[in-house]
Amino acid sequence: MVVNNGDIFEIAGHTIACGDSLDRFFVSKVVNGRKIRAVISDPPYGVAYVENKKDIVSLGIKDAKVIVGDQIQSEYEYVQFTKKWTECIIPYLDRYNTFHIFNENSSHIKITRNEIYRDSGFTGILAWTGCSDYEISENTIYGTSWGPGVYNTCDNVTIANNYITATSWDAIFVSGTNQNVTGNMLVGRGIVVGTSTNATVSNNTISSANGYGIDLTTDANNTTVQGNNIIAPTTFGIQVEANAANNLISNNKISEFAGTAGISVISTGKGNRIVNNDITKTTGTTKAIVISAAVPDLYLSGNTFSGVGAAGIQDSGKNVVYANQANTAGSIITNGQAGVGIN
């Protein structure tokens, strides 16, 4: 069978076309009045892939044809190329649509002001390893499906001012370096910081969290969690997990919950600081702060508790000596309490 440029085939209810995705007229013929609900694209990377590997016979591409559009390009040139092919399909997008774009080392991309309805099995916005310097902002993401609302493993990414509802997975998951998660409104689930360095999680509002508000998992290091408002989590407001080290948890407000603790520390990582947090209106056996392990160099200061169902602080790891004295672990506690004791 011979296939020529411009051919369009209808096979078993599917349309297959061979042509130029930068040709608006050709794209319109392929779409033929229909709406596009999913775009799955692996565009040229702009890195001259074939030319750069032409002498590597072992890869079997010595005589491969040069990929059209894959010549070495500046960032500006590649942005213009991307605009050209996306602008050809934007007029035909359904109101509810999804983009899956495979690219290499993409950077300086802004994903903003989208309205996303998730079906079962899909993440709202996925930024995968190898990219950097993204901004994901002012999006509205609805859904209860498996997969986070925003899943990011790229470096130097800002996730800001999004509205996300989720009940079965994280609203936001981040790992990598220099993540900035700020100003988001999250309903139903919270924020997970995976293996990361120098993340900032600040000024987010998290309500009715089915589980946690903010979770610093194993190997989340040098994270700043500051100024967040966490309302009615079912297990804990903020948790610091095993090996997470040198994190600052400060000036957060945690209220109206019946879970295990306002702040839970199960990490044995060094140098975590918990300061000036306000924990209020818990019920039952809930404690304001629970420390479950022997934590080297743990520092607690200036936290306030009111309306706490059980103890203000439960220190099962015996980390601290009160009245501002350091013990052998080098930990200090100087917390203000509103009539609530210490276990």
Side-chain angles (χ1 to χ4, degrees):
M1 179 179 180
V2 177
V3 178
N4 297 307
N5 188 30
D7 285 347
I8 301 174
F9 303 93
E10 299 291 337
I11 302 174
H14 300 280
T15 302
I16 301 175
C18 174
D20 186 354
S21 62
L22 303 181
D23 184 337
R24 290 175 182 263
F25 178 71
F26 178 72
V27 172
S28 69
K29 287 178 62 179
V30 175
V31 174
N32 193 26
R34 293 167 292 190
K35 289 293 184 180
I36 299 172
R37 296 198 64 189
V39 177
I40 302 172
S41 177
D42 189 1
Y45 294 163
V47 295
Y49 178 83
V50 173
E51 297 94 314
N52 286 331
K53 294 185 170 55
K54 63 182 179 181
D55 295 325
I56 306 177
V57 179
S58 61
L59 294 181
I61 62 171
K62 185 176 181 180
D63 299 320
K65 292 182 180 180
V66 172
I67 301 171
V68 176
D70 190 42
Q71 69 276 9
I72 295 292
Q73 300 175 44
S74 68
E75 182 175 315
Y76 174 79
E77 290 171 330
Y78 196 76
V79 167
Q80 297 309 305
F81 164 74
T82 302
K83 283 184 176 179
K84 285 181 70 175
W85 73 261
T86 54
E87 286 173 353
C88 286
I89 59 176
I90 285 174
Y92 308 107
L93 292 176
D94 199 353
R95 179 183 178 188
Y96 305 125
N97 60 78
T98 180
F99 270 73
H100 300 265
I101 302 175
F102 303 90
N103 213 325
E104 183 176 7
N105 298 323
S106 54
S107 62
H108 303 288
I109 291 177
K110 186 173 183 178
I111 303 171
T112 186
R113 297 183 181 178
N114 298 285
E115 189 174 85
I116 300 171
Y117 291 80
R118 296 185 293 151
D119 293 325
S120 179
F122 289 95
T123 295
I125 296 174
L126 172 65
W128 200 251
T129 302
C131 52
S132 64
D133 300 286
Y134 272 39
E135 178 183 323
I136 300 171
S137 63
E138 299 182 45
N139 300 284
T140 301
I141 304 174
Y142 300 101
T144 59
S145 70
W146 180 93
V150 174
Y151 186 98
N152 174 69
T153 62
C154 303
D155 296 333
N156 306 316
V157 172
T158 295
I159 302 172
N161 304 318
N162 300 283
Y163 176 82
I164 304 172
T165 66
T167 59
S168 59
W169 209 259
D170 319 323
I172 297 174
F173 174 90
V174 296
S175 68
T177 303
N178 298 326
Q179 312 290 344
N180 181 24
V181 182
T182 184
N184 299 283
M185 172 71 74
L186 311 177
V187 179
R189 293 289 276 193
I191 299 167
V192 172
V193 180
T195 301
S196 63
T197 305
N198 299 328
T200 299
V201 180
S202 65
N203 301 313
N204 301 283
T205 298
I206 304 168
S207 65
S208 302
N210 181 21
Y212 50 83
I214 298 169
D215 187 10
L216 305 186
T217 64
T218 299
D219 297 324
N221 299 318
N222 301 302
T223 306
T224 298
V225 179
Q226 191 169 58
N228 300 283
N229 185 16
I230 303 171
I231 306 164
T234 60
T235 56
F236 52 83
I238 299 170
Q239 177 159 275
V240 184
E241 291 196 33
N243 302 322
N246 299 312
N247 299 293
L248 172 63
I249 315 296
S250 73
N251 297 98
N252 300 284
K253 182 176 178 61
I254 305 169
S255 62
E256 300 179 19
F257 66 101
T260 302
I263 298 174
S264 170
V265 181
I266 60 174
S267 171
T268 56
K270 293 184 177 181
N272 291 299
R273 293 163 292 160
I274 301 173
V275 298
N276 300 328
N277 298 284
D278 182 19
I279 303 172
T280 63
K281 298 181 181 177
T282 73
T283 60
T285 59
T286 301
K287 290 86 176 176
I289 298 175
V290 172
I291 308 164
S292 303
V295 187
D297 302 319
L298 176 67
Y299 183 84
L300 285 79
S301 177
N303 302 286
T304 58
F305 322 130
S306 62
V308 176
I313 300 172
Q314 177 177 298
D315 180 16
S316 302
K318 306 302 180 185
N319 295 278
V320 295
V321 174
Y322 303 105
N324 301 330
Q325 296 182 27
N327 69 349
T328 55
S331 303
I332 298 174
I333 185 166
T334 58
N335 297 278
Q337 299 139 61
V340 179
I342 300 172
N343 285 348

